[in-house]
Amino acid sequence: LTLNTDGSVHTDIGHAAAGGLIRDHTGRCLLAFAMNLDIFSITRGELRGAVEGLRLAWDVDFRRVRLELDSACVCQLLQSTNS
C-alpha cells in the first residue's frame, strides 16, 4: 500500500490544509482524507498530513504502508526520528 500526502499553506489568505490518499498495488484509491489546519508553516503542514495519513492507515489495520510526499525537509525529519 502507498500513502501519498501533501500540505498547503496560503499565508496571504490565512488558510492551510493537508490531505492524502492510500492506494493499493494497482493504484486504486482505498482511503482519502483532507483537513483544514491552523498551521502557517509549510513544513508543519506537510508533516501534519503525513502523520494524519499514517494514523488513518494504522486505524484501519494497514500496518505496512509506503509513505510518499514531496517535502525533502519532512523526509529528513522522519528519517532522523527513525534513527
Side-chain angles (χ1 to χ4, degrees), residues 50-68:
V51 168
E52 293 302 323
L54 291 169
R55 276 190 189 147
L56 177 63
W58 189 263
D59 286 347
V60 294
D61 290 328
F62 295 152
R63 297 295 190 249
R64 293 180 51 94
V65 178
R66 181 178 65 203
L67 174 61
E68 293 182 352

Side-chain angles (χ1 to χ4, degrees), residues 20-48:
L21 55 93
I22 298 174
R23 297 176 292 125
D24 68 10
H25 67 283
T26 67
R28 184 174 56 111
C29 181
L30 302 176
L31 293 168
F33 72 97
M35 59 195 315
N36 290 318
L37 303 172
D38 292 329
I39 296 171
F40 297 104
S41 156
I42 188 60
T43 300
R44 287 184 179 193
E46 293 274 358
L47 187 56
R48 181 74 185 273

